[in-house]
Amino acid sequence: MALHRRIGILGTGAYAPAQILTNKDLEKMVDTSESWILERTGIQERRIIGPDEDIATMALAAGRQALANAGIEASRLSFIIVGTNSADYLFPAAAIRVQDALGVNRQLAAFDLQAGCTGFNYALYVAEHLTAPEGKYALVIGSDASSRFTNWTDRSTCILFGDGAGAVVVGPVPQGGIKTSFLASALSMKLLCQTEFNAENSPFLPPHQTTHRHFLTMDGPEIFKFAVNAVKESIRRIVEMSRIEREELDYVILHQANHRIIEAAARFAKLPLEKFYVNVHRYGNTSAASVPLALHEAVTEGKIKAGDKVLLVSFGAGVTWGAALVIWSY
Ligand code: UT7
């Protein structure tokens, strides 16, 4: 599809639930230690979604803030896309619940998109290609509550994840904008979450006993290797596609999964760690929310300025990975 307009990010927003789960709290739940978690992951605490919240309520809070920061009314949107892996309903989509809450039923198309922790990069790519031909606007959100399908007795996974949401408004920009982007995927069963409920209660299937199949499971070291390679490939591909040198990147928003992955990326990119936003210590891995949540905080803290070459990179279950180079517009 030919792109006709420059599409850029016009505003950002984020939402993090109030409840904090610290490494000390986890010591009381599983056989782990505050220092092991900090040394192996860089995570100190993460947020846990409240009983009255869900994917759509978090997405809405982040989305409203992104719209306000962009100065765009919801009525000007043509698309709402929510990247999520933990939507409360298979249908209706969380994006449609956000649409309804914003009062724009029937005025636009809203849908969810599932691509593991790369959900935001996937949603951004789709939004870019949907909005570019006619210069339309889209609200792109990453919202996840991995705490809802985490096995809280499994120390190898429950220490890693947290809940939250992040959002951006995309639309036409006079200069800058998304310069290059790509997505990729390949089948891997090393990080998975099975939908056990699909197999329950069907007269056409053998009876199932209650299992742990619906919990997230992961081969941590294998996913770690995949993650480092995916980040390297992403940086390599983006600099080649953009015809720039790695050193020209002004700022990198990398999926916040593990501080050691961020360090490996900085070494490979030949960039100082200061050019990588880090909030993994405060939120853990918030899955599809990770990149937009970090992006919003980086923008709010004044780390990104107009004209900066900002790289957004994520990787996750599937496996999926992808990146976008954005020339910051404001
Ligand atoms: O969005 C993508 C999602 N996933 C990721 O990005 C995760 C990528 N992987 C990782 O971040 C790391 O592999 C982990 C943090 C999950 C694990 O770190 P690791 O350095 O790869 O540790 P490991 O799995 O090789 O385990 C080392 C040891 C093992 O003990 P033994 O066999 O050496 O005696 C584990 O049983 O650490 C043990 N261990 C723990 N110890 C204390 C595993 N989890 C814990 C724990 N507390 N929570």
Side-chain angles (χ1 to χ4, degrees):
M1 192 192 301
L3 297 186
H4 305 304
R5 306 280 178 93
R6 281 171 203 275
I7 293 298
I9 292 175
L10 306 169
T12 63
Y15 175 80
Q19 190 184 341
I20 294 173
L21 182 71
T22 65
N23 291 353
K24 263 265 170 276
D25 296 330
L26 281 163
E27 278 184 354
K28 295 178 205 130
M29 297 165 66
V30 285
D31 179 17
T32 191
S33 70
E34 203 179 1
S35 55
W36 191 95
I37 302 172
L38 189 59
E39 276 164 29
R40 304 312 293 164
T41 70
I43 302 168
Q44 291 171 356
E45 58 187 41
R46 66 289 289 145
R47 302 297 181 95
I48 304 294
I49 192 168
D52 300 329
E53 299 180 299
D54 61 33
I55 292 307
T57 64
M58 293 200 298
L60 177 65
R64 275 197 207 283
Q65 192 179 27
L67 286 165
N69 285 335
I72 299 283
E73 298 287 332
S75 58
R76 291 175 69 191
L77 296 172
S78 295
F79 305 99
I80 299 175
I81 311 176
V82 175
T84 185
N85 307 288
S86 44
D88 305 271
Y89 304 96
L90 283 179
F91 39 82
I96 300 180
R97 293 173 59 215
V98 172
Q99 170 184 18
D100 179 61
L102 290 174
V104 287
N105 275 326
R106 298 179 186 280
Q107 297 172 36
L108 54 80
F111 57 95
D112 292 354
L113 188 155
Q114 197 264 68
C117 298
T118 319
F120 176 77
N121 269 90
Y122 266 69
L124 183 67
Y125 186 94
V126 171
E128 177 197 352
H129 287 75
L130 285 175
T131 54
E134 294 170 63
K136 292 180 171 175
Y137 293 91
L139 178 59
V140 181
I141 306 172
S143 182
D144 257 319
S146 305
S147 68
R148 298 249 161 111
F149 54 84
T150 292
N151 181 351
W152 291 101
T153 66
D154 173 13
R155 69 176 183 173
S156 70
T157 53
C158 76
I159 56 153
L160 296 173
F161 296 93
D163 305 335
V168 300
V169 176
V170 301
V173 287
Q175 64 225 356
I178 301 169
K179 189 172 162 64
T180 39
S181 47
F182 83 92
L183 303 173
S185 60
L187 182 66
S188 165
M189 302 300 270
K190 293 189 187 306
L191 171 51
L192 80 154
C193 182
Q194 289 171 277
T195 52
E196 180 177 54
F197 52 85
N198 283 349
E200 278 178 358
N201 199 30
S202 165
F204 308 105
L205 291 169
H208 279 261
Q209 291 182 326
T210 301
T211 68
H212 280 190
R213 290 191 343 148
H214 56 292
F215 288 137
L216 178 155
T217 61
M218 182 177 66
D219 181 336
E222 280 300 314
I223 292 295
F224 190 94
K225 277 185 245 161
F226 150 71
V228 172
N229 285 330
V231 172
K232 287 181 179 175
E233 185 197 318
S234 298
I235 294 170
R236 198 182 297 123
R237 275 180 76 164
I238 286 285
V239 298
E240 276 172 19
M241 288 164 74
S242 312
R243 297 198 182 86
I244 61 168
E245 301 297 325
R246 293 173 208 187
E247 296 84 342
E248 286 180 57
L249 294 168
D250 293 299
Y251 211 70
V252 184
I253 307 287
L254 181 61
H255 172 42
Q256 307 284 304
N258 186 320
H259 197 272
R260 290 188 288 141
I261 296 173
I262 302 174
E263 287 165 348
R267 278 195 299 276
F268 177 76
K270 297 185 194 141
L271 291 170
L273 201 52
E274 297 75 61
K275 289 200 172 192
F276 286 71
Y277 191 76
V278 177
N279 63 8
V280 68
H281 55 297
R282 288 186 282 119
Y283 298 115
N285 180 343
T286 56
S287 199
S290 173
V291 165
L293 177 57
L295 177 65
H296 173 70
E297 293 197 337
V299 169
T300 307
E301 290 169 25
K303 306 230 182 251
I304 294 172
K305 56 184 187 313
D308 276 356
K309 295 185 185 70
V310 182
L311 181 63
L312 311 177
V313 189
S314 46
F315 52 84
V319 285
T320 53
W321 64 107
L325 180 70
V326 186
I327 313 297
W328 206 251
S329 320
Y330 63 95

